[in-house]
């Protein structure tokens, strides 16, 4: 498809939600609110805030991943992913929502509203880290909230700027000005090739900081220097699974007509690669802690090998690694909906369970954790907010980067 043909079909590239989808999103958000209130009302305070936190961080990581993955392609002017780039860029529309939700959590922690301060044991009892001078100075509620909100604001500003630069050309074309749109598209491509590398560095530093502060500090006496990299691997595996599902969701639309077998194959290959990378970092993590055999490192894993957590670890091992590792080996598994959709779903379920395993065992006694109604309710709430953000984006902006000079080249090169 030529750039002129893309221009002619420009009005077909929006992705507004259907009435059924809107109803489903409202149901999910309401389910999340009701569960949250119910969790606080039944006295499961730390568990309720823990469910809020890990679900928020799960969707925040996918949203940031969408922006970071676009940067990775822009910095080398990659062509292969141009037909699907706007799909994962739309995930970043959740980042401003995530900023607000994190701000709400931090405000509740500082003001002790709803006993949110119970979530972090070192806020509830500062004596826990008294014997760790470095952590004692670093983990101070006001300081943590200040630096994390600054990191989140920086992520939101950079991802918004990134999208704004790209959308200028598209919106000029939508308005009927093809020449101006193409000119702005060329300008955006040159600008982003130059600026995407420093933006990626900022994303890496801010995401690592948030991973250390928001999730690792839940176990304040535990150490892991690999936590930032390991969290990145989890983020990218989840992103590829989400992107592949979204590609199948748009398959019957004008957007999906531009996505060929090549893109399904390439995203599937990346998902397979990040499956191995995530497993490798997890193994490296456990191996070094095992042979070090230091109590401050092994306690994190020992706590998760008890009670209801152990069966979850076995489920995670098979669904996050064994199943995708072998089932994605054949080429056709990556572009066959009957195989790819269950594989993507199993990866996302596994990564959600991984997030749960990081947070919930620090907030809930194993004997009290039976039915995961609070965790599932919080998931539905944040899923509703995430998809509402993506659909809102798809209603306002084209889900195909029609002004991108590399898109027409990518479509011309695609023979499958």
């Amino acid at each position: 498809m030529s750039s002129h043909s893309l221009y002619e079909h420009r009005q077909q590239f929006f992705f507004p939600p259907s009435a059924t989808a809107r109803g489903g999103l409202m149901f999910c958000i309401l389910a999340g609110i009701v569960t949250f209130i119910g969790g606080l009302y039944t006295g499961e305070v730390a568990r309720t805030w823990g469910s809020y936190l890990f679900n928020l961080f799960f969707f925040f990581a996918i949203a940031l991943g969408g922006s970071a993955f676009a940067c990775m392609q822009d910095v080398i002017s990659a062509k292969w992913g141009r037909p699907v780039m706007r799909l994962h860029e739309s995930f970043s529309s959740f980042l401003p929502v995530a900023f607000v939700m994190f701000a709400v959590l931090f405000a509740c922690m500082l003001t002790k509203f709803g006993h949110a301060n119970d979530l972090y044991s070192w806020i509830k009892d500062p004596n826990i880290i008294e014997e760790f001078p470095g952590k004692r100075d670093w983990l101070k509620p006001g300081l943590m909230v200040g630096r994390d909100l600054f990191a989140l604001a920086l992520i939101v500003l950079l991802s918004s700027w990134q999208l704004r630069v790209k959308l200028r050309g598209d919106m000029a074309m939508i308005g009927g000005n093809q020449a101006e749109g193409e000119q702005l598209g060329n300008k955006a491509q040159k600008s982003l090739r130059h600026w995407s590398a420093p933006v990626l560095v900022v994303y890496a530093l801010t995401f690592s900081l948030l991973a250390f502060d928001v999730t690792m500090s839940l176990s304040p006496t535990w150490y892991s220097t690999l936590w930032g990299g390991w969290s990145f691997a989890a983020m990218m595996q989840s992103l590829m699974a989400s992107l592949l599902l979204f590609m199948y969701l748009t398959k019957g639309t004008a957007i999906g007509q531009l996505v060929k077998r090549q893109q399904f194959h390439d995203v599937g290959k990346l998902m397979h690669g990040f499956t191995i990378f995530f497993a490798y970092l997890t193994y490296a993590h456990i191996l070094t802690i095992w042979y070090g055999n230091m109590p401050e490192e092994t306690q994190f894993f020992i706590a998760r090998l008890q009670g209801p957590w152990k069966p979850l670890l076995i489920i995670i091992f098979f669904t996050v690694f064994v199943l995708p590792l072998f089932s994605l080996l054949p080429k056709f598994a990556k572009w066959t909906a009957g195989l790819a959709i269950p594989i993507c779903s199993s990866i996302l379920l596994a990564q959600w369970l991984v997030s749960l395993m990081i947070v919930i065992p620090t907030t809930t006694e194993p004997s009290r954790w039976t039915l995961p109604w609070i965790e599932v309710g919080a998931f539905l709430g944040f899923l509703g907010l995430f998809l509402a953000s993506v659909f809102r984006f798809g209603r306002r902006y084209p889900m195909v980067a029609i002004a991108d000079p590399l898109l027409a080249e990518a479509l011309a090169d695609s023979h499958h």
Side-chain angles (χ1 to χ4, degrees), residues 5-79:
S5 184
L6 285 168
Y7 173 73
E8 290 293 315
H9 292 89
R10 64 192 185 278
Q11 296 297 343
Q12 296 174 20
F13 298 133
F14 291 89
F15 194 60
S18 65
T20 312
R22 281 199 300 271
L25 295 177
M26 282 306 297
F27 168 79
C28 285
I29 293 167
L30 282 171
I33 294 167
V34 169
T35 306
F36 180 75
I37 295 166
L40 293 181
Y41 184 75
T42 53
E44 299 274 12
V45 176
R47 183 180 163 194
T48 302
W49 284 110
S51 299
Y52 179 104
L53 173 68
F54 89 79
N55 280 289
L56 172 56
F57 198 82
F58 176 75
F59 285 105
F60 162 75
I62 293 172
L64 176 58
S67 219
F69 188 42
C71 274
M72 292 172 202
Q73 294 177 71
D74 284 329
V75 79
I76 55 168
S77 297
K79 288 182 198 170

